[in-house]
Each structure stands twice: as C-alpha cells, then as structure tokens.
Amino acid sequence: MKPVTLKQIAEHLNISVTTVSKALKDYPDVSPKTKALVKELAKTLNYKPNAFAVNLRTKESKTIGLIIPVIVHHFFSSVIKGIISQAEKKGYLVIILQSNESYELEKKQIDLLMSHRVDGILISLANGTANFNHLNEVIAQDKPLVMFDKIAKIVKCSKVIIDDRKAAYIATQHLIDTGCKRIAHFRGALLPQNSIDRFLGYKKALLDNNMPYDPSLVYICECGDMSFEEGKKNAQQLLKDHNDVDGIFINTDLVAIGAMTEFNKQGVKMPDDIAIVGFSNWFMSSVISPTLTTIDQPGYLMGKTAFKQLYKEIKQRKNNKPVVFKDIVLDTDLVKRESTKTVS
Amino acid sequence: MKPVTLKQIAEHLNISVTTVSKALKDYPDVSPKTKALVKELAKTLNYKPNAFAVNLRTKESKTIGLIIPVIVHHFFSSVIKGIISQAEKKGYLVIILQSNESYELEKKQIDLLMSHRVDGILISLANGTANFNHLNEVIAQDKPLVMFDKIAKIVKCSKVIIDDRKAAYIATQHLIDTGCKRIAHFRGALLPQNSIDRFLGYKKALLDNNMPYDPSLVYICECGDMSFEEGKKNAQQLLKDHNDVDGIFINTDLVAIGAMTEFNKQGVKMPDDIAIVGFSNWFMSSVISPTLTTIDQPGYLMGKTAFKQLYKEIKQRKNNKPVVFKDIVLDTDLVKRESTKTVS
C-alpha cells in the first residue's frame, strides 16, 4: 500500500489538487463544506503531507545535523541524548555522524549535511581538525552552526563549553588540599582546546600554591578508543620514572581507570600511595574500586543547551533578525570519592 | 552567502535552467561546449544540488530512521556506531530517535519518520511495546523495516538477533561445570522477548543437568536507567532469602555490576561464595574487581548487519523485486574471567 497523495484525494472528490491542498491548509477561498469533505477523506485514508514537498516550499527541512568524534563514549552519548530530547520537543529530527577523530571525514560530513539542506549543524571537533575552512563555509552560507565541548575559539559561531581550565584547577587544588606534594598530570592529545585548557589549569594550581611545575611529570595520552590502555601504559611509565609522585590529575576517567587498574595490579595503594582525580564522571567511576574522585561534566545539559542555542539562531535567521553568537559556559562539580584522601 | 542555484548559473550564461540541469547530468542533447561551460561555472561557484529537489524527483530521501530504547548504554551505542558506519558507506544518513522504553513515544516516532519519507526504518523495541499496529502499518506501506535485538517474533519483517536462549544456556552450563549447585537468575523485565529467552535458556540448562528449577531463585529486574540499583537491591534480597545460592546468571552486565558492588560491600567472596555470569560484555566488566565472566554480545556487528539487510530490501523494493524477509542470528561468546571458578 503506497502512501495516499493529494491527487488521489482530488480525483476521488472530483475537485482540483489545488483545492485539496488549500482545503487542508484552511484557505479562506474554499467552502467549509469542501474543507470538511477533504479533511474527512484525508483522515480516513491516513493521508500524510510529503515532508519533502513541504520542505522544498518552506525551505526548512526540520532536521539538523550532529557531528561528534565518537559515539561509544559515556559523555558523548549523554550529549546525544540531550540534543535528541530537546530537538524532538521542537519538532526537529537529528542526523548523527561520527568523525572518528578524523579531519578528512569531518569535512566530508559537513558537505553531506549541507547538501541535505539541514537547518543547522551541531559539532564537537575531531582531534585531527586544525583547519576550519569547512566550518567557515557553513557560516558563510548563513547556516546556523553551534560548537560544543571540543571547539575552536577562532571560529565565529556560538559555543557551549565548560570552563576546562577552572575545573582542572579545582581538581588539582583538591589534590593539594588533601596533602599531595608532587602531582603528575596525564593530559589528552596535544591539539584539542580542552586538553590544552586542562593542562593550563593544572599548571596554574601548582604555581598558585608555590609548587614547582615539572614538565617530566606531564604524560601525553592520545585519547581515543585505546585510552584505557594509554592509562595503563602511562601508569607503568610513571612508576619507572618517579618514585615520589603522590597524586595525579588525569584528563579523563577512562584513562584514570586504566591507570588505576595498573596500580591495583602492582599493589600501589590509592589514595595512600597515589591519589587520583579524573575528569568526566562516567558511570563506571562510581563502581570501580576505589571509587574515583572526578569532575562531573554535564553531558546531557550540554546537548540540551547546544540545541536550544541552535534553535534560537534558526528562528532568528528565518525571521531576518540579527544573530548574536554566544559563548555559554556550563558549571562543573568536583565529586569527591575514595581515590583521594579526606581533607587532613 | 546563500547557496548557488541552477537559475543563477543559467542567468549568468544566458541559457535556460533546463539546459543547465541537463548539462550537469550529461544529457546527450547538450553540446560539449555548453556542458564544459556549465560544469566549470558550477565548480567555481561551489554549486551543490538541492537534496530535497533530488529526493522529490527520485522518491528517495537517502536517509533512514533508527529507533532505540536508550542511547546512553554501551550495547546500543555500539549498535548505533555499526549502523552509522555502514550507512555512510552506502551514502545514507541516519536519523536517531530514543523511545525511552515507551510504546507511546515509539508510535509517534514511527509516524514522524514516515512523514519525513525515510527510505527505511531500523528498530529495537521499547520494553513497553506489546501492540504492533504501528509496525504493521509501516510494512503495509511497503516501507522496509528491520528489527534488531529487542524484536517481536509476530511482526513480519527481517530480524537481526542473537540466540538468547542458547547463550543463556551456555552461561548457566558454565556455572554448573565450575561446580555451582544452586543457581539463581536475575532476569530482565517481563515483556521483552530476549529476557524471556534468557530465562528459558537458564531453566533448560538446569533441567538438562537434573537440577531442580526453583521459581523463588528467579528475581525480576525492571532494566532501565536504574538497573545498577536493581542489581544491588536484588543482591540484598537474595542474601536475605537464600543462604545456599552459589551461582547467579544475571541478565545484563550493569545489573551484575550492581549485585557485585553489594556483594563486595557485604564481604561475599566471588567466585568462592557466589560465582557470577553476566550478559553483554560491557567495557566496564573487564575493569571491575573481580572481572566479570559474561556473554559477549556483538553490538557493532549487529548494527552493521541490520543496516545491510535494510539496504538490500530498499534496493529490492526499488527494483520491484520480491523481498524475502530474513532472520539473521549472530554468534555470541562466553568470556571467562575472575567472577567464575576455573573448571575443577
């Protein structure tokens, strides 16, 4: 059974397609009697307007595009959930694409979304993205674009982020407040803004507390699917390099859990030998042993907020109103658990 | 800068829109010279065909819809990843909706996808879905539909599943083989087919080994966001009800981890006092203590396979070929870890 068309309704009632169309849209130049007939028949036949035809006319697709680096990831799946739930409330559908941290893929996906005439795009950048022409082109074509989490400060659009530097500062300060004297940092990949900012927050906390900054205590993680393994690897290396480290601020919970698995294996006691603070507050962090002190990153709220901002800009552009870009900074929380000592 | 239109190219070259359109599509009745001119200008101006207009003509949207019960869930996010990666290879975009385990929402989402004229729908049912009219309507309208994981056997369409009964049998048999004499089962919600099948596999393994089936050893979990809590609750109840249980087969890893957290807290030793087998092989299961023996459920492969089947049916329908529905059963593996004893 194929979907019913306007033409079939028109033929059945022996009136023109235009009249059927006008009747369904309550135009004043169609008689109430005809309107009633058309509407009843449309209902009986389960007629649904062709979204494509509507889209072509209104120039709205009522879909938006979302590009994220990875899907199988507690934080990003929380963001997706936030976006989808908010979009659905406003009658928008969400097309999701995964860039796999690849700039090339991200670029292609932007093109794909543009040719599908989405009404707007939400993006969290791939680690590999250092050139922003593909994003500037979206903006040049007047298509609303909102970045979240992994952003580029240089691109002129709205952004929804957390204050990574401040959160990292608070995490490091907590290690200092609970008695740590020599604090290492497992940082993320070199490029993304949030891993730079977390590193800077860590460094500032040390300096503000008159503790020397020692670059040999900073370990790089190429955070991707392998980040649990990277945590293990960095933990092994740290134990070889330094026997005096008593605290680590780790860029993300998954890496922290990798490190903790290694420490558990080697009999390093947490928090007594080494205290740990992670970042993200994955569900996992509350069930491993010891439970992990971490920064709670509001994924669901970030998704919701990013969609709300995009929606606002879609409406502003549609109504030919000036669009004001916003930087929205969401709050984070330090969640204290067993992997750090209580304040002495 | 608005996207360039065919009309602008036509005006610029002082030819008709039809000629421009034909030139871009390499129609033989346009001269090679005109074709070259049009193509060069289109390239210079970064012309992209309007996907809506193309869709309206070809009646293909090159998008598919995906409805899943929950997004923030290791198994389902792996499925999403499998679907998206395969869809992208074939030039399809994926619209994702979350039913929140609600039948009402699922029904609305089916309508929404149909009115957006997606080329096909992939669905894993909500726990609340016991009426299948919304799905039968999709099939009646000749729209390809493939169910995966949480399916309804009664709906006439292709399905991608694992053999839940067999996997549960193997899980229970492993507990028996490693010396367990009295085995409990934490099952899922009452309705979904997979929780029924896992229960039946558990029961059959007991009976095949001449072990009595005792309904008081079966605990219901309303698996949702709260399933970690449900695992804890059921573990507490089990310790109150029975002091002789030495093994539990648990419907899903998250519930198992909840139970293990409670056992760890109460000093119940795993696997010596109680051995545990979970289901799904979440990443988490390999990092908690003790590590969890579980059934590996191939989420990524399931997503990929479901899309491939949908794609096949989209092509068959497009070419007016008969569509043969398939039941595709994917293999699972028992992953032995520390929460069960080694074979004695």
Side-chain angles (χ1 to χ4, degrees), chain A residues 1 46 51-52 55 61 81 84 88 94-96 98 109 115-116 137 140-141 228 254 283-284 287, chain B residues 1 46 51-52 61 81 84 88 93-96 98 109 112 115-116 137 140-141 228 254 283-284 287:
Chain A
M1 197 176 84
N46 198 15
F52 283 141
N55 294 336
S61 67
K81 192 181 163 191
I84 288 184
E88 212 173 341
V94 184
I95 290 168
I96 302 180
Q98 167 171 307
Q109 290 169 341
S115 80
H116 263 259
E137 203 189 307
Q141 295 201 19
F228 173 77
L254 189 54
F283 172 74
M284 234 188 303
V287 299
Chain B
M1 198 176 85
N46 198 15
F52 283 141
S61 67
K81 190 181 164 190
I84 287 183
E88 212 173 341
L93 293 178
V94 184
I95 290 167
I96 302 180
Q98 166 170 305
Q109 291 170 339
L112 199 58
S115 79
H116 263 257
E137 202 187 310
Q141 295 202 19
F228 173 78
L254 188 54
F283 171 74
M284 233 188 303
V287 299

Side-chain angles (χ1 to χ4, degrees), chain A residues 27 31 33 45 52 81 85 154 193 196 241 272 318:
Chain A
Y27 273 46
S31 75
K33 198 182 143 197
L45 297 177
F52 283 141
K81 192 181 163 191
S85 67
I154 203 176
Q193 191 64 49
I196 296 170
D241 296 345
D272 295 329
K318 197 183 160 193

Side-chain angles (χ1 to χ4, degrees), chain A residues 235-299:
Chain A
Q236 281 164 10
Q237 196 57 43
L238 178 97
L239 292 178
K240 275 184 208 153
D241 296 345
H242 303 279
N243 58 10
D244 55 350
V245 163
D246 55 5
I248 319 176
F249 165 52
I250 303 185
N251 189 280
T252 167
D253 281 5
L254 189 54
V255 177
I257 288 167
M260 289 167 80
T261 304
E262 186 61 29
F263 289 147
N264 274 328
K265 199 176 133 195
Q266 297 208 24
V268 175
K269 295 222 157 27
M270 295 163 286
D272 295 329
D273 299 339
I274 298 180
I276 315 246
V277 181
F279 205 110
S280 266
N281 197 21
W282 287 35
F283 172 74
M284 234 188 303
S285 310
S286 60
V287 299
I288 50 153
S289 178
T291 54
L292 178 62
T293 295
T294 189
I295 297 287
D296 185 61
Q297 206 183 356

Side-chain angles (χ1 to χ4, degrees), chain A residues 1-4 46 48-53 55-56 59-63 71-74 77-78 80-81 84 88 91-98 100 105 109 111-117 137 139-142 225 228 254 257 261 282-284 286-289, chain B residues 1-4 46 48-53 55-56 59-63 71-74 77-78 80-81 84 88 91-98 100 105 109 111-117 137 139-142 225 228 254 257 261 282-284 286-289:
Chain A
M1 197 176 84
K2 295 273 172 196
V4 175
N46 198 15
K48 287 188 182 110
N50 183 335
F52 283 141
N55 294 336
L56 204 60
K59 302 226 163 106
E60 278 190 310
S61 67
K62 287 278 181 180
T63 55
I71 288 170
V72 187
H73 188 293
H74 186 265
S77 47
S78 303
I80 294 176
K81 192 181 163 191
I84 288 184
E88 212 173 341
Y92 280 77
L93 293 177
V94 184
I95 290 168
I96 302 180
L97 292 161
Q98 167 171 307
N100 275 330
L105 209 49
Q109 290 169 341
D111 272 355
L112 200 56
L113 291 174
M114 289 299 279
S115 80
H116 263 259
R117 298 287 203 271
E137 203 189 307
I139 296 165
Q141 295 201 19
D142 253 352
D225 275 356
F228 173 77
L254 189 54
I257 288 167
T261 304
W282 287 35
F283 172 74
M284 234 188 303
S286 60
V287 299
I288 50 153
S289 178
Chain B
M1 198 176 85
K2 295 274 171 197
V4 175
N46 198 15
K48 287 187 182 113
N50 183 334
F52 283 141
N55 293 335
L56 204 61
K59 302 228 163 102
E60 277 189 313
S61 67
K62 287 278 184 180
T63 55
I71 288 170
V72 188
H73 187 293
H74 187 266
S77 48
S78 304
I80 293 176
K81 190 181 164 190
I84 287 183
E88 212 173 341
Y92 280 77
L93 293 178
V94 184
I95 290 167
I96 302 180
L97 293 160
Q98 166 170 305
N100 275 330
L105 208 50
Q109 291 170 339
D111 271 356
L112 199 58
L113 292 173
M114 290 299 279
S115 79
H116 263 257
R117 298 286 203 270
E137 202 187 310
I139 296 164
Q141 295 202 19
D142 253 351
D225 276 354
F228 173 78
L254 188 54
I257 287 167
T261 303
W282 286 35
F283 171 74
M284 233 188 303
S286 60
V287 299
I288 50 153
S289 177

Side-chain angles (χ1 to χ4, degrees), chain B residues 116-251:
Chain B
H116 263 257
R117 298 286 203 270
V118 292
D119 294 339
I121 295 176
L122 295 171
I123 188 168
S124 183
L125 296 182
N127 281 346
T129 300
N131 175 322
F132 309 111
N133 286 344
H134 57 312
L135 303 173
N136 288 330
E137 202 187 310
V138 172
I139 296 164
Q141 295 202 19
D142 253 351
K143 184 71 70 185
L145 174 80
V146 173
M147 303 179 102
F148 62 91
D149 190 51
K150 290 164 71 183
I151 59 142
K153 288 191 176 158
I154 203 175
V155 177
K156 282 186 185 126
C157 67
S158 290
K159 288 151 200 137
V160 184
I161 46 168
I162 55 167
D163 189 337
D164 283 287
R165 208 179 294 200
K166 185 175 154 198
Y169 187 98
I170 289 169
T172 311
Q173 186 66 50
H174 177 64
L175 287 167
I176 297 170
D177 290 345
T178 52
C180 295
K181 302 288 177 211
R182 193 148 162 79
I183 301 169
H185 176 40
F186 291 180
R187 62 171 283 176
L190 278 178
L191 221 48
Q193 190 65 48
N194 59 7
S195 98
I196 296 169
D197 284 336
R198 288 177 201 173
F199 162 70
L200 292 173
Y202 153 80
K203 193 170 163 185
K204 188 166 191 306
L206 293 184
L207 298 178
D208 283 0
N209 286 275
N210 300 314
M211 291 169 76
Y213 163 66
D214 175 355
S216 80
L217 293 182
V218 177
Y219 291 75
I220 306 277
C221 303
E222 290 297 333
C223 298
D225 276 354
M226 289 305 295
S227 50
F228 173 78
E229 288 304 322
E230 299 251 2
K232 278 171 83 167
K233 210 180 64 189
N234 283 342
Q236 282 165 7
Q237 195 57 45
L238 178 97
L239 292 177
K240 275 185 208 155
D241 297 346
H242 303 279
N243 59 10
D244 56 349
V245 163
D246 56 3
I248 319 177
F249 164 51
I250 303 185
N251 189 280

